[in-house]
Amino acid sequence: MRSNTPPQPDFPDTDTDTDTDAACPLGERSPRLFNLLNLARQNLFRSADAVFSGELGFSGTQVVALFALKGEEGCQLKDLGRLLQLKNSAVTGLVARMEENGLIVRGQSAFDARAGTLHMSRKGGEVLAAALPLLDSLNAQLKAGFSEEELAVVARFLLHASRLRFQQDS
């Protein structure tokens, strides 16, 4: 499997950094976490999208939607949008592309005749199965060079960030 790792900028090596007070690998006293998270998110999603598109022929967004649909089989468009944190218009376009690609099929709700449901097709299941080893590889690359203790702190921080609702200063 190919590695899709772009060249890394020259950041100081934190293991050999002589300044033990440095709080950030960028050499700053206080890391700009919001900016770093944004840069990391953009890079990771762009890179993962290239891997999924190159290996499976489907975008990373479609693959992520299949993972969401697997856990919520028969959900409605609005539910998929909530799971993926996408606006209604984006979900409508995504679902249309996925249906056109044969990854999902639409059904009708047994509870509400006005509501449509989304189901993974056989092809969608095959793509999802093929995506699992790719995702394992991406996760392994992401965790490389970090101890289990460091990863536990990163996971705790990211979980905290995912739940945080900023307050405005009064």
Side-chain angles (χ1 to χ4, degrees):
M1 185 177 312
R2 74 173 193 266
S3 173
N4 200 23
T5 307
Q8 298 299 311
D10 294 324
F11 294 139
D13 185 353
T14 56
D15 292 337
T16 60
D17 191 357
T18 57
D19 182 5
T20 56
D21 294 332
C24 175
L26 300 176
E28 301 168 1
R29 286 283 176 217
S30 179
R32 298 180 331 237
L33 294 176
F34 198 85
N35 184 49
L36 291 173
L37 283 170
N38 184 50
L39 291 172
R41 182 197 168 282
Q42 288 176 348
N43 177 59
L44 291 174
F45 279 78
R46 190 177 304 117
S47 181
D49 188 61
V51 169
F52 288 127
S53 295
E55 298 287 331
L56 302 175
F58 299 102
S59 72
T61 304
Q62 291 181 52
V63 173
V64 168
L66 288 174
F67 277 104
L69 190 56
K70 180 183 179 199
E72 296 288 328
E73 182 68 26
C75 70
Q76 296 179 13
L77 251 66
K78 65 180 180 180
D79 300 320
L80 185 62
R82 180 183 41 78
L83 289 167
L84 299 176
Q85 297 184 0
L86 294 175
K87 294 182 181 180
N88 288 345
S89 58
V91 174
T92 301
L94 173 64
V95 166
R97 287 187 302 278
M98 292 178 72
E99 188 175 30
E100 187 177 297
N101 291 333
L103 300 174
I104 61 171
V105 292
R106 293 183 196 236
Q108 189 166 359
S109 172
F111 305 108
D112 184 351
R114 299 168 295 168
T117 57
L118 303 174
H119 305 273
M120 192 177 319
S121 69
R122 179 183 309 269
K123 181 178 180 180
E126 291 168 358
V127 169
L128 190 61
L132 286 171
L134 292 174
L135 190 58
D136 288 343
S137 173
L138 297 180
N139 276 311
Q141 292 175 56
L142 192 55
K143 296 189 306 186
F146 293 92
S147 70
E148 289 300 319
E149 293 79 19
E150 289 171 319
L151 290 170
V153 172
V154 170
R156 187 170 66 87
F157 171 77
L158 292 173
L159 187 59
H160 165 74
S162 73
R163 294 175 176 165
L164 184 64
R165 298 291 177 257
F166 290 119
Q167 309 255 334
Q168 288 183 334
D169 292 334
S170 31

